[in-house]
Amino acid sequence: MDEFSTLEVMLVDNEDLVRRGFRQALGEASDITVVADTRVGEEALRMAELRRPQVVLVDAECEFIRKLAQLSETAVLGAGPGIIVLTSNALDSHLLGSLKAGARGFLLKSASQHELISAVRAVADGAAFLCPTMTRRLIDRFEILPPPHERSHAVALASLSGRERQVLRGIAMGRSNQEIAHDLHVTLATVKSHVSRILAKLELPNRMHAALMAQRSGLAYLPQPPRAEQAAAAPCPPAARPEPAVRRAW
């Protein structure tokens, strides 16, 4: 995406006030444009096919989400939309059903504006996004990854460079590639290269599994390492050598 283009988003919800609130929240992001909003139904499907938004925020049952996801199969120009489910229902069954139907994101309606905007950017960037509440519930209920004490898990994480750990931490926190690049003061291409190497080293199929591994290992909850200028400004006692910034248990 160049600096003059924006992410086109469509809102699908049966409550007018809900759509109005999300439109207002997204309108404060300069790189996001809401191109349409409507109620759930056939009209929404026709509008999505006509507008071709990059992301659709939707509160609907799995069957409607499945139909929306199938637009990618009939799309003549590019892929179908990335779907983020917006719901006040935090049941595990709703989460799993939505993901199986084709959704790439899951966000509670009580989410903050920052989470909402981050989710849109992440899904538009080709990533997946789960709100922290649902990520934790998914980890707690399903044994998707081997336990963190297994040697293969520890060895895999230990193989990452310091910069790769920073990128993985951003992934675990639901940050898009663009946001990680901004945080680390590197280019978007550099972040994408790091993500590819992380998945290869950890032998994981996608960044969703990488996020889950980082969540389980505790990487997402480690304190941020001190900035270089702060570290330089803080003198060490003459009789002591500086300790490493972060000790990692794996």
Side-chain angles (χ1 to χ4, degrees):
M1 183 180 70
D2 61 56
E3 59 179 320
F4 300 107
S5 63
T6 60
L7 304 176
E8 295 189 345
V9 177
M10 177 177 171
L11 303 174
V12 182
D13 194 291
N14 285 333
E15 297 184 39
D16 295 343
L17 288 177
V18 170
R19 298 200 309 273
R20 187 181 305 170
F22 282 119
R23 177 184 280 272
Q24 181 177 355
L26 291 171
E28 296 186 20
S30 60
D31 60 333
I32 297 175
T33 300
V34 178
V35 296
D37 70 74
T38 186
R39 293 172 175 267
V40 177
E42 293 300 320
E43 177 61 26
L45 294 173
R46 287 192 292 270
M47 191 175 294
E49 192 167 13
L50 175 65
R51 292 284 190 172
R52 297 287 182 199
Q54 292 158 277
V55 177
V56 177
L57 299 170
V58 56
D59 182 5
E61 296 301 322
C62 295
E63 183 57 34
F64 179 85
I65 296 171
R66 188 174 294 107
K67 290 180 180 179
L68 194 58
Q70 287 173 348
L71 291 178
S72 61
E73 299 176 4
T74 59
V76 177
L77 300 174
I83 302 169
I84 300 174
V85 176
L86 287 167
T87 181
S88 55
N89 184 353
L91 295 178
D92 295 339
S93 58
H94 195 189
L95 166 66
L96 293 177
S98 300
L99 296 177
K100 288 179 180 178
R104 291 216 307 268
F106 196 94
L107 201 61
L108 298 177
K109 287 186 177 180
S110 58
S112 66
Q113 182 184 33
H114 173 74
E115 281 183 314
L116 175 65
I117 293 173
S118 294
V120 169
R121 288 171 176 162
V123 171
D125 200 29
F129 186 98
L130 293 181
C131 63
T133 300
M134 299 311 298
T135 300
R136 175 54 58 190
R137 292 185 67 169
L138 193 64
I139 293 171
D140 290 343
R141 179 169 178 179
F142 298 98
E143 293 296 326
I144 297 175
L145 297 169
H149 62 271
E150 287 189 4
R151 179 171 176 78
S152 59
H153 190 178
V155 170
L157 288 171
S159 70
L160 300 181
S161 68
R163 179 65 84 186
E164 287 166 350
R165 289 193 187 96
Q166 290 179 316
V167 172
L168 180 57
R169 184 177 188 275
I171 293 173
M173 296 177 68
R175 309 284 281 173
S176 68
N177 286 348
Q178 187 174 7
E179 290 174 318
I180 294 173
H182 179 268
D183 292 342
L184 299 182
H185 305 290
V186 297
T187 66
L188 181 59
T190 298
V191 172
K192 289 182 177 179
S193 178
H194 282 312
V195 172
S196 296
R197 286 199 294 270
I198 289 169
L199 295 180
K201 287 183 178 181
L202 300 182
E203 298 183 350
L204 296 173
N206 53 52
R207 62 191 288 149
M208 175 73 78
H209 284 77
L212 291 173
M213 175 179 279
Q215 289 271 354
R216 172 166 284 178
S217 70
L219 182 62
Y221 307 106
L222 290 176
Q224 288 277 21
R227 294 181 180 273
E229 59 269 21
Q230 293 174 335
C236 295
R241 300 290 296 175
E243 290 293 327
V246 178
R247 287 188 183 276
R248 290 180 168 79
W250 58 73

